[in-house]
Amino acid sequence: MKDRAPALYNLTLAEIEALLREWRQPAYRARQIYRQLYVNLAASPREMSDLPAALRERLTKEVLFSTLQFERTQSGDGGMTRKALFRVEDGPPVESVLMIYRDRATVCVSTQSGCAMGCSFCASGRMGFRLNLTAGQMIEQVLWAARETRTILASDRTLLTNVVYMGMGEPFNNYDRWWASVERLHDPEGFNFGARHFTVSTVGIVPGIRRLAKEKLPVNLAVSLHAPDDELRSRLVPVNKKYPVAVLMEAVRDYTEATGRRVSFEYVLLQGVNDQPGRALGLARLLKRGPGLALCHVNLIPWNPVPGEPLKPSERRRVLDFQDVLRERHVPCTLRTQRGLDIAAACGQLAGDAKKT
Ligand code: SAH
């Protein structure tokens, strides 16, 4: 029976209401369940103490709760970074990273197991594509992080402040499910997470950017650029052959004009590959070309090592010089802080347990 059972985290409130109507339960029960899931963060029907025992039992028997199997967490940065490893049905790995700072807590969520984009410098890309996650499986990662922050910070409130879709996978290759997870987590009747506290990062899937420009919720967009010219970008980010720099920039420009929102460009710094002053100049020119992108920001990311990959991170001096070139040309730019290096949880290091995938 459970084979065809609905997965609770894939259902909207309206869908839970429909299910309970079928079960001939009073309408308010659906809302109770929904609040248990998204406000109390109940992880099983057992914890839903305001429901009658018979209903809890029926939920246990006839719907699926978690469809991500929790395997383990690892703790780094003195306990302020946690990486969780889940599996989908004993197989494909899914990793999520919670980062706690003094004034905020961010969870980095995977949208796929593995990734089909094949960027050579990224562990998820090297792992290849395994599967698309459901909206419920993305939501479960966020709820895991919300529970963790409550425990770590010993609070009964949810102290998670940011959700970034920057884990394994390419969100815009799984757009519908990804967006369903944003809408659900945003729902004021439930988790009530502010739209501006979500960020999605794309490798540069142009139709996804154009679609996002039309959505109602103002989530943040980050674009993985990594090189200002087609020749180099196509080597680092193979999908550039399909959506070259000029086409990508046009979509980003249209996006900022349509939404009035700022876009971040991510730029991983690789020693001797894309970190020369000439590239920084090329990047500044690209962002200032024509009318210029008034609403943009560059996020420089020191490259995090990936096993078996001979690339090297740029030296500190090179990074600072790169930053100077951008700043002199009035391109706002910041350096991403490194988190999770000690537990292979930093940007681009998520590949599950390589031995067991
Ligand atoms: N597929 C999406 C989401 C991944 S976000 C995207 O490409 O944007 C992860 C960010 O970390 C991307 O900008 C990615 O290019 C970058 N990244 C990948 N591997 C990295 C590594 N080894 N070190 C630092 N950043 C890396």
Side-chain angles (χ1 to χ4, degrees), residues 1-11 37 45 58-67 89 140:
M1 167 147 228
K2 274 230 166 178
D3 283 355
R4 280 184 295 118
L8 210 44
Y9 292 110
N10 276 333
L11 304 183
L37 293 174
R58 187 154 189 198
L59 284 169
T60 312
K61 288 205 183 113
E62 296 184 28
V63 300
L64 291 170
F65 260 65
S66 180
T67 61
E89 286 161 15
E140 282 185 50

Side-chain angles (χ1 to χ4, degrees), residues 11-85:
L11 304 183
T12 60
L13 175 55
E15 287 164 339
I16 298 177
E17 281 169 346
L19 180 71
L20 289 209
R21 257 198 307 280
E22 259 173 52
W23 289 7
R24 306 200 182 290
Q25 289 282 334
Y28 65 89
R29 293 284 183 219
R31 212 166 281 262
Q32 262 178 314
I33 295 172
Y34 198 72
R35 287 189 64 79
Q36 280 288 358
L37 293 174
Y38 294 108
V39 181
N40 298 353
L41 312 184
S44 75
R46 245 178 304 119
E47 295 174 33
M48 301 186 167
S49 51
D50 54 347
L51 298 184
L55 179 56
R56 273 186 275 164
E57 198 171 317
R58 187 154 189 198
L59 284 169
T60 312
K61 288 205 183 113
E62 296 184 28
V63 300
L64 291 170
F65 260 65
S66 180
T67 61
L68 277 186
Q69 290 166 20
F70 174 79
E71 192 159 308
R72 59 154 192 259
T73 52
Q74 284 170 279
S75 182
D77 300 319
M80 292 296 104
T81 301
R82 303 265 170 125
K83 179 171 81 166
L85 170 63

Side-chain angles (χ1 to χ4, degrees), residues 108 111-112 115 117 119 121-124 165-171 200-204 222-226 237 266-270 301-306 336 338 346-349:
C108 177
T111 54
Q112 299 179 318
C115 184
M117 295 292 91
C119 305
F121 53 87
C122 174
S124 312
Y165 291 91
M166 298 190 181
M168 282 182 192
E170 168 50 42
V200 63
S201 177
T202 179
V203 69
V223 175
S224 294
L225 192 58
H226 308 322
V237 180
E266 291 152 296
Y267 197 105
V268 172
L269 286 163
L270 301 162
I301 315 177
W303 183 68
N304 300 306
V306 168
R336 184 172 290 180
Q338 279 178 304
C347 302
Q349 292 187 317

Side-chain angles (χ1 to χ4, degrees), residues 172-335:
F172 288 173
N173 285 348
N174 192 13
Y175 192 108
D176 292 333
R177 290 156 163 202
W178 163 67
W179 188 253
S181 78
V182 170
E183 287 192 317
R184 181 89 44 72
L185 291 165
H186 172 68
D187 183 1
E189 304 255 22
F191 198 62
N192 192 22
F193 207 75
R196 289 176 197 279
H197 296 265
F198 291 98
T199 300
V200 63
S201 177
T202 179
V203 69
I205 306 293
V206 164
I209 296 172
R210 296 206 173 276
R211 223 175 133 180
L212 184 61
K214 298 200 190 87
E215 302 287 4
K216 297 248 156 29
L217 299 177
V219 306
N220 300 301
L221 172 65
V223 175
S224 294
L225 192 58
H226 308 322
D229 54 281
D230 283 323
E231 191 272 317
L232 179 58
R233 189 164 190 271
S234 292
R235 273 197 283 141
L236 298 175
V237 180
V239 80
N240 187 69
K241 296 189 197 89
K242 189 161 179 194
Y243 305 114
V245 174
V247 174
L248 174 61
M249 294 308 287
E250 192 184 297
V252 171
R253 181 182 309 281
D254 291 347
Y255 172 91
T256 58
E257 281 169 7
T259 62
R261 295 197 295 273
R262 189 178 80 158
V263 169
S264 312
F265 291 102
E266 291 152 296
Y267 197 105
V268 172
L269 286 163
L270 301 162
Q271 182 179 301
V273 176
N274 65 352
D275 66 347
Q276 308 84 346
R279 301 270 185 213
L281 202 58
L283 178 59
R285 287 206 185 107
L286 179 69
L287 301 181
K288 296 279 169 192
R289 188 167 294 158
L293 263 179
L295 293 167
C296 79
H297 171 267
V298 173
N299 195 206
L300 298 173
I301 315 177
W303 183 68
N304 300 306
V306 168
E309 179 51 65
L311 292 163
K312 289 199 179 63
S314 305
E315 286 141 7
R316 184 87 191 153
R317 185 68 253 157
R318 262 292 173 93
V319 174
L320 297 177
D321 288 348
F322 200 95
Q323 214 171 358
D324 283 346
V325 173
L326 293 178
R327 290 213 168 122
E328 277 161 21
R329 281 156 188 84
H330 310 289
V331 176
C333 104
T334 47
L335 202 56

